[in-house]
PDB file of all heavy atoms in Angstrom:
ATOM      1  N   MET A   1      48.114  17.988  65.280  1.00 75.00           N
ATOM      2  CA  MET A   1      49.272  18.866  65.180  1.00 75.00           C
ATOM      3  C   MET A   1      48.858  20.261  64.738  1.00 75.00           C
ATOM      4  O   MET A   1      49.353  21.266  65.263  1.00 75.00           O
ATOM      5  CB  MET A   1      50.300  18.283  64.203  1.00 75.00           C
ATOM      6  CG  MET A   1      51.612  19.045  64.194  1.00 75.00           C
ATOM      7  SD  MET A   1      52.365  19.097  65.839  1.00 75.00           S
ATOM      8  CE  MET A   1      53.799  20.099  65.511  1.00 75.00           C
ATOM      9  N   THR A   2      47.936  20.327  63.786  1.00 82.00           N
ATOM     10  CA  THR A   2      47.442  21.628  63.339  1.00 82.00           C
ATOM     11  C   THR A   2      46.748  22.353  64.481  1.00 82.00           C
ATOM     12  O   THR A   2      46.918  23.564  64.651  1.00 82.00           O
ATOM     13  CB  THR A   2      46.473  21.465  62.148  1.00 82.00           C
ATOM     14  OG1 THR A   2      47.121  20.727  61.113  1.00 82.00           O
ATOM     15  CG2 THR A   2      46.039  22.815  61.610  1.00 82.00           C
ATOM     16  N   ASP A   3      45.961  21.615  65.276  1.00 82.00           N
ATOM     17  CA  ASP A   3      45.307  22.208  66.443  1.00 82.00           C
ATOM     18  C   ASP A   3      46.337  22.812  67.388  1.00 82.00           C
ATOM     19  O   ASP A   3      46.171  23.930  67.876  1.00 82.00           O
ATOM     20  CB  ASP A   3      44.506  21.144  67.207  1.00 82.00           C
ATOM     21  CG  ASP A   3      43.289  20.667  66.447  1.00 82.00           C
ATOM     22  OD1 ASP A   3      42.955  21.277  65.411  1.00 82.00           O
ATOM     23  OD2 ASP A   3      42.676  19.681  66.886  1.00 82.00           O
ATOM     24  N   ALA A   4      47.402  22.055  67.646  1.00 79.00           N
ATOM     25  CA  ALA A   4      48.430  22.508  68.589  1.00 79.00           C
ATOM     26  C   ALA A   4      49.092  23.790  68.102  1.00 79.00           C
ATOM     27  O   ALA A   4      49.266  24.739  68.874  1.00 79.00           O
ATOM     28  CB  ALA A   4      49.474  21.408  68.791  1.00 79.00           C
ATOM     29  N   ILE A   5      49.455  23.830  66.829  1.00 81.00           N
ATOM     30  CA  ILE A   5      50.133  25.013  66.297  1.00 81.00           C
ATOM     31  C   ILE A   5      49.193  26.213  66.306  1.00 81.00           C
ATOM     32  O   ILE A   5      49.549  27.307  66.784  1.00 81.00           O
ATOM     33  CB  ILE A   5      50.622  24.756  64.855  1.00 81.00           C
ATOM     34  CG1 ILE A   5      51.615  23.605  64.826  1.00 81.00           C
ATOM     35  CG2 ILE A   5      51.278  26.010  64.283  1.00 81.00           C
ATOM     36  CD1 ILE A   5      51.895  23.089  63.434  1.00 81.00           C
ATOM     37  N   LEU A   6      47.988  26.026  65.770  1.00 86.00           N
ATOM     38  CA  LEU A   6      47.042  27.141  65.681  1.00 86.00           C
ATOM     39  C   LEU A   6      46.699  27.693  67.062  1.00 86.00           C
ATOM     40  O   LEU A   6      46.693  28.909  67.277  1.00 86.00           O
ATOM     41  CB  LEU A   6      45.761  26.699  64.969  1.00 86.00           C
ATOM     42  CG  LEU A   6      45.833  26.554  63.451  1.00 86.00           C
ATOM     43  CD1 LEU A   6      44.523  26.002  62.910  1.00 86.00           C
ATOM     44  CD2 LEU A   6      46.130  27.900  62.789  1.00 86.00           C
ATOM     45  N   ASN A   7      46.407  26.796  68.005  1.00 83.00           N
ATOM     46  CA  ASN A   7      45.998  27.259  69.325  1.00 83.00           C
ATOM     47  C   ASN A   7      47.133  27.948  70.081  1.00 83.00           C
ATOM     48  O   ASN A   7      46.904  28.921  70.808  1.00 83.00           O
ATOM     49  CB  ASN A   7      45.431  26.094  70.139  1.00 83.00           C
ATOM     50  CG  ASN A   7      44.045  25.708  69.693  1.00 83.00           C
ATOM     51  OD1 ASN A   7      43.145  26.530  69.672  1.00 83.00           O
ATOM     52  ND2 ASN A   7      43.866  24.461  69.298  1.00 83.00           N
ATOM     53  N   SER A   8      48.356  27.459  69.906  1.00 80.00           N
ATOM     54  CA  SER A   8      49.476  28.124  70.579  1.00 80.00           C
ATOM     55  C   SER A   8      49.678  29.521  70.006  1.00 80.00           C
ATOM     56  O   SER A   8      49.945  30.478  70.743  1.00 80.00           O
ATOM     57  CB  SER A   8      50.758  27.299  70.430  1.00 80.00           C
ATOM     58  OG  SER A   8      51.233  27.300  69.101  1.00 80.00           O
ATOM     59  N   LYS A   9      49.533  29.657  68.684  1.00 86.00           N
ATOM     60  CA  LYS A   9      49.717  30.963  68.045  1.00 86.00           C
ATOM     61  C   LYS A   9      48.553  31.903  68.353  1.00 86.00           C
ATOM     62  O   LYS A   9      48.747  33.120  68.516  1.00 86.00           O
ATOM     63  CB  LYS A   9      49.878  30.792  66.533  1.00 86.00           C
ATOM     64  CG  LYS A   9      51.172  30.130  66.121  1.00 86.00           C
ATOM     65  CD  LYS A   9      52.383  30.956  66.557  1.00 86.00           C
ATOM     66  CE  LYS A   9      53.679  30.363  66.062  1.00 86.00           C
ATOM     67  NZ  LYS A   9      54.861  31.136  66.519  1.00 86.00           N
ATOM     68  N   ILE A  10      47.336  31.361  68.416  1.00 86.00           N
ATOM     69  CA  ILE A  10      46.187  32.192  68.788  1.00 86.00           C
ATOM     70  C   ILE A  10      46.365  32.726  70.201  1.00 86.00           C
ATOM     71  O   ILE A  10      46.086  33.896  70.485  1.00 86.00           O
ATOM     72  CB  ILE A  10      44.880  31.391  68.659  1.00 86.00           C
ATOM     73  CG1 ILE A  10      44.552  31.155  67.175  1.00 86.00           C
ATOM     74  CG2 ILE A  10      43.716  32.133  69.327  1.00 86.00           C
ATOM     75  CD1 ILE A  10      43.378  30.231  66.942  1.00 86.00           C
ATOM     76  N   SER A  11      46.841  31.863  71.100  1.00 81.00           N
ATOM     77  CA  SER A  11      47.107  32.295  72.474  1.00 81.00           C
ATOM     78  C   SER A  11      48.157  33.395  72.500  1.00 81.00           C
ATOM     79  O   SER A  11      48.030  34.390  73.231  1.00 81.00           O
ATOM     80  CB  SER A  11      47.573  31.098  73.306  1.00 81.00           C
ATOM     81  OG  SER A  11      47.898  31.485  74.620  1.00 81.00           O
ATOM     82  N   LEU A  12      49.201  33.247  71.682  1.00 84.00           N
ATOM     83  CA  LEU A  12      50.257  34.258  71.607  1.00 84.00           C
ATOM     84  C   LEU A  12      49.703  35.571  71.068  1.00 84.00           C
ATOM     85  O   LEU A  12      50.000  36.653  71.603  1.00 84.00           O
ATOM     86  CB  LEU A  12      51.391  33.763  70.703  1.00 84.00           C
ATOM     87  CG  LEU A  12      52.550  34.732  70.454  1.00 84.00           C
ATOM     88  CD1 LEU A  12      53.275  35.041  71.760  1.00 84.00           C
ATOM     89  CD2 LEU A  12      53.524  34.150  69.427  1.00 84.00           C
ATOM     90  N   ALA A  13      48.883  35.487  70.017  1.00 88.00           N
ATOM     91  CA  ALA A  13      48.302  36.698  69.427  1.00 88.00           C
ATOM     92  C   ALA A  13      47.405  37.425  70.434  1.00 88.00           C
ATOM     93  O   ALA A  13      47.467  38.652  70.560  1.00 88.00           O
ATOM     94  CB  ALA A  13      47.503  36.335  68.176  1.00 88.00           C
ATOM     95  N   LYS A  14      46.588  36.672  71.149  1.00 85.00           N
ATOM     96  CA  LYS A  14      45.698  37.284  72.129  1.00 85.00           C
ATOM     97  C   LYS A  14      46.479  37.972  73.239  1.00 85.00           C
ATOM     98  O   LYS A  14      46.059  39.014  73.756  1.00 85.00           O
ATOM     99  CB  LYS A  14      44.753  36.233  72.711  1.00 85.00           C
ATOM    100  CG  LYS A  14      43.662  35.795  71.743  1.00 85.00           C
ATOM    101  CD  LYS A  14      42.697  34.818  72.391  1.00 85.00           C
ATOM    102  CE  LYS A  14      41.546  34.471  71.472  1.00 85.00           C
ATOM    103  NZ  LYS A  14      40.598  33.511  72.087  1.00 85.00           N
ATOM    104  N   SER A  15      47.623  37.388  73.603  1.00 83.00           N
ATOM    105  CA  SER A  15      48.446  38.003  74.652  1.00 83.00           C
ATOM    106  C   SER A  15      49.016  39.341  74.192  1.00 83.00           C
ATOM    107  O   SER A  15      49.414  40.168  75.004  1.00 83.00           O
ATOM    108  CB  SER A  15      49.589  37.065  75.052  1.00 83.00           C
ATOM    109  OG  SER A  15      50.585  37.001  74.040  1.00 83.00           O
ATOM    110  N   LYS A  16      49.030  39.560  72.877  1.00 89.00           N
ATOM    111  CA  LYS A  16      49.507  40.816  72.313  1.00 89.00           C
ATOM    112  C   LYS A  16      48.342  41.692  71.840  1.00 89.00           C
ATOM    113  O   LYS A  16      48.532  42.631  71.062  1.00 89.00           O
ATOM    114  CB  LYS A  16      50.452  40.530  71.140  1.00 89.00           C
ATOM    115  CG  LYS A  16      51.705  39.754  71.536  1.00 89.00           C
ATOM    116  CD  LYS A  16      52.584  39.455  70.333  1.00 89.00           C
ATOM    117  CE  LYS A  16      53.818  38.655  70.727  1.00 89.00           C
ATOM    118  NZ  LYS A  16      54.720  39.427  71.604  1.00 89.00           N
ATOM    119  N   ASN A  17      47.144  41.352  72.328  1.00 91.00           N
ATOM    120  CA  ASN A  17      45.932  42.127  72.011  1.00 91.00           C
ATOM    121  C   ASN A  17      45.645  42.176  70.510  1.00 91.00           C
ATOM    122  O   ASN A  17      45.328  43.217  69.941  1.00 91.00           O
ATOM    123  CB  ASN A  17      46.038  43.546  72.578  1.00 91.00           C
ATOM    124  CG  ASN A  17      46.157  43.566  74.088  1.00 91.00           C
ATOM    125  OD1 ASN A  17      45.389  42.903  74.789  1.00 91.00           O
ATOM    126  ND2 ASN A  17      47.130  44.302  74.601  1.00 91.00           N
ATOM    127  N   ILE A  18      45.774  41.024  69.869  1.00 92.00           N
ATOM    128  CA  ILE A  18      45.452  40.889  68.448  1.00 92.00           C
ATOM    129  C   ILE A  18      44.239  39.982  68.317  1.00 92.00           C
ATOM    130  O   ILE A  18      44.252  38.838  68.795  1.00 92.00           O
ATOM    131  CB  ILE A  18      46.632  40.292  67.659  1.00 92.00           C
ATOM    132  CG1 ILE A  18      47.891  41.157  67.805  1.00 92.00           C
ATOM    133  CG2 ILE A  18      46.261  40.124  66.182  1.00 92.00           C
ATOM    134  CD1 ILE A  18      49.141  40.514  67.223  1.00 92.00           C
ATOM    135  N   GLN A  19      43.196  40.471  67.678  1.00 91.00           N
ATOM    136  CA  GLN A  19      42.002  39.662  67.474  1.00 91.00           C
ATOM    137  C   GLN A  19      42.264  38.634  66.368  1.00 91.00           C
ATOM    138  O   GLN A  19      42.834  38.950  65.325  1.00 91.00           O
ATOM    139  CB  GLN A  19      40.812  40.530  67.072  1.00 91.00           C
ATOM    140  CG  GLN A  19      39.511  39.738  66.881  1.00 91.00           C
ATOM    141  CD  GLN A  19      38.363  40.596  66.370  1.00 91.00           C
ATOM    142  OE1 GLN A  19      38.551  41.775  66.089  1.00 91.00           O
ATOM    143  NE2 GLN A  19      37.187  40.008  66.248  1.00 91.00           N
ATOM    144  N   VAL A  20      41.845  37.386  66.619  1.00 92.00           N
ATOM    145  CA  VAL A  20      42.011  36.325  65.623  1.00 92.00           C
ATOM    146  C   VAL A  20      40.653  35.713  65.320  1.00 92.00           C
ATOM    147  O   VAL A  20      39.927  35.307  66.229  1.00 92.00           O
ATOM    148  CB  VAL A  20      42.968  35.222  66.120  1.00 92.00           C
ATOM    149  CG1 VAL A  20      43.083  34.113  65.070  1.00 92.00           C
ATOM    150  CG2 VAL A  20      44.341  35.797  66.435  1.00 92.00           C
ATOM    151  N   ILE A  21      40.297  35.663  64.053  1.00 91.00           N
ATOM    152  CA  ILE A  21      39.080  34.986  63.606  1.00 91.00           C
ATOM    153  C   ILE A  21      39.524  33.786  62.784  1.00 91.00           C
ATOM    154  O   ILE A  21      40.121  33.941  61.720  1.00 91.00           O
ATOM    155  CB  ILE A  21      38.181  35.906  62.762  1.00 91.00           C
ATOM    156  CG1 ILE A  21      37.737  37.119  63.590  1.00 91.00           C
ATOM    157  CG2 ILE A  21      36.968  35.135  62.242  1.00 91.00           C
ATOM    158  CD1 ILE A  21      36.927  38.134  62.800  1.00 91.00           C
ATOM    159  N   ALA A  22      39.257  32.588  63.287  1.00 91.00           N
ATOM    160  CA  ALA A  22      39.749  31.375  62.635  1.00 91.00           C
ATOM    161  C   ALA A  22      38.615  30.416  62.319  1.00 91.00           C
ATOM    162  O   ALA A  22      37.740  30.178  63.153  1.00 91.00           O
ATOM    163  CB  ALA A  22      40.781  30.681  63.519  1.00 91.00           C
ATOM    164  N   ASP A  23      38.634  29.879  61.123  1.00 90.00           N
ATOM    165  CA  ASP A  23      37.673  28.870  60.682  1.00 90.00           C
ATOM    166  C   ASP A  23      38.491  27.784  59.993  1.00 90.00           C
ATOM    167  O   ASP A  23      38.945  27.966  58.863  1.00 90.00           O
ATOM    168  CB  ASP A  23      36.656  29.492  59.718  1.00 90.00           C
ATOM    169  CG  ASP A  23      35.590  28.492  59.279  1.00 90.00           C
ATOM    170  OD1 ASP A  23      35.548  27.383  59.857  1.00 90.00           O
ATOM    171  OD2 ASP A  23      34.806  28.821  58.366  1.00 90.00           O
ATOM    172  N   ALA A  24      38.720  26.676  60.680  1.00 90.00           N
ATOM    173  CA  ALA A  24      39.618  25.646  60.153  1.00 90.00           C
ATOM    174  C   ALA A  24      39.001  24.263  60.317  1.00 90.00           C
ATOM    175  O   ALA A  24      38.578  23.887  61.410  1.00 90.00           O
ATOM    176  CB  ALA A  24      40.963  25.710  60.870  1.00 90.00           C
ATOM    177  N   HIS A  25      38.963  23.522  59.231  1.00 87.00           N
ATOM    178  CA  HIS A  25      38.402  22.169  59.240  1.00 87.00           C
ATOM    179  C   HIS A  25      39.283  21.259  58.392  1.00 87.00           C
ATOM    180  O   HIS A  25      39.517  21.525  57.217  1.00 87.00           O
ATOM    181  CB  HIS A  25      36.982  22.169  58.675  1.00 87.00           C
ATOM    182  CG  HIS A  25      36.076  23.148  59.329  1.00 87.00           C
ATOM    183  ND1 HIS A  25      35.447  22.898  60.527  1.00 87.00           N
ATOM    184  CD2 HIS A  25      35.709  24.403  58.956  1.00 87.00           C
ATOM    185  CE1 HIS A  25      34.723  23.951  60.867  1.00 87.00           C
ATOM    186  NE2 HIS A  25      34.859  24.873  59.937  1.00 87.00           N
TER     187      HIS A  25
END
């Protein structure tokens, strides 16, 4: 579930030209 939320939001951020640096375990 965390993967789904993070990846959907990262995709949204990238579509708005926002760089995302994520380190999640």
Side-chain angles (χ1 to χ4, degrees):
M1 188 58 183
T2 305
D3 291 351
I5 299 167
L6 284 175
N7 285 304
S8 69
K9 291 299 184 182
I10 289 173
S11 177
L12 177 63
K14 287 184 175 180
S15 73
K16 298 178 181 295
N17 298 312
I18 302 171
Q19 182 185 4
V20 178
I21 299 176
D23 183 9
H25 307 279

